[in-house]
Amino acid sequence: GLVVFINSFVSKWSAYLVDGYWPRLVFDYILMLCWSIPMYILSIILCLSWYQEIACGACIMLDRRPRVPPGAMDKWKRLLESIGDEIYRLLVIIMFLVGCKVLQYIPGMFGMPYLGDALYFVSLCWSTSLYAFEYVWAYIGWTADEKLNFFETRWTYFAGFGAPLTVVTFNMSVFAGAALYASAIPFLIIS
């Protein structure tokens, strides 16, 4: 949220600081490269850590225990496993979002653009709920087959679970939508 606020504040004041179209454009790109993108990447890294801690706390409160107790592994193995989980989670979400975009554009090629938008929306709902549930599943220690089986048998629930956040962020700008998304995901993880 802070990144979006500062970006909009500085971008608005850049019109007064820098005169002319090209200097302002250069100033905006320098701002984006030196401030927006690094802060966005830093916030993603921090959020990934916080989301996992929130999922662990929620599982402890709900008395869900991991298959391998956290103290059973040494510190480095746990670190490597968490890095592997984050990379796996990132790849799954990226592939899912690429699939969402493909689903959005293919029906439009055949004269059915609204069907593509509907498929895109439902896919984003699934992506949102998978992202929220993935942290709990990683803590519990589920395998990819268990996660997929659980999702396949409850796909309607997952579409409905992710719908409220998807409705709110569907037509927002990328940074504003990402900021709201990052703020709301902890509540989805807890629920």
Side-chain angles (χ1 to χ4, degrees), residues 5-116:
F5 173 74
I6 290 175
N7 284 345
S8 62
F9 179 77
V10 172
S11 182
K12 188 170 269 260
W13 281 99
S14 71
Y16 300 109
L17 296 173
V18 180
D19 192 27
Y21 175 76
W22 289 107
R24 181 167 181 221
L25 185 66
V26 169
F27 179 78
D28 285 345
Y29 277 113
I30 290 172
L31 173 71
M32 185 176 67
L33 287 173
C34 295
W35 170 255
S36 301
I37 293 175
M39 289 305 293
Y40 188 69
I41 291 170
L42 178 67
S43 67
I44 287 173
I45 292 169
L46 290 174
C47 284
L48 292 175
S49 171
W50 292 334
Y51 294 163
Q52 191 61 53
E53 288 180 26
I54 290 168
C56 292
C59 287
I60 289 169
M61 287 183 67
L62 294 172
D63 201 30
R64 292 184 179 170
R65 298 203 181 359
R67 288 194 181 145
V68 178
M73 285 191 269
D74 68 352
K75 185 170 74 170
W76 293 109
K77 186 173 181 181
R78 201 170 337 138
L79 176 68
L80 289 175
E81 186 174 293
S82 67
I83 290 171
D85 284 342
E86 294 303 330
I87 291 171
Y88 167 77
R89 187 176 296 122
L90 181 67
L91 289 175
V92 166
I93 294 298
I94 287 172
M95 295 305 294
F96 208 88
L97 291 176
V98 167
C100 292
K101 277 297 186 187
V102 168
L103 279 176
Q104 182 182 19
Y105 290 118
I106 287 180
M109 291 180 201
F110 299 106
M112 300 177 285
Y114 297 114
L115 176 63

Side-chain angles (χ1 to χ4, degrees), residues 125-172:
C125 292
W126 285 334
S127 174
T128 299
S129 42
L130 281 175
Y131 190 70
F133 276 86
E134 178 66 31
Y135 289 96
V136 174
W137 294 340
Y139 176 79
I140 294 172
W142 281 9
T143 64
D145 289 335
E146 290 171 318
K147 295 173 190 177
L148 187 60
N149 186 36
F150 191 80
F151 177 77
E152 286 176 349
T153 57
R154 294 163 180 85
W155 62 271
T156 53
Y157 171 78
F158 284 103
F161 186 83
L165 185 57
T166 304
V167 164
V168 173
T169 60
F170 194 66
N171 289 318
M172 290 181 135

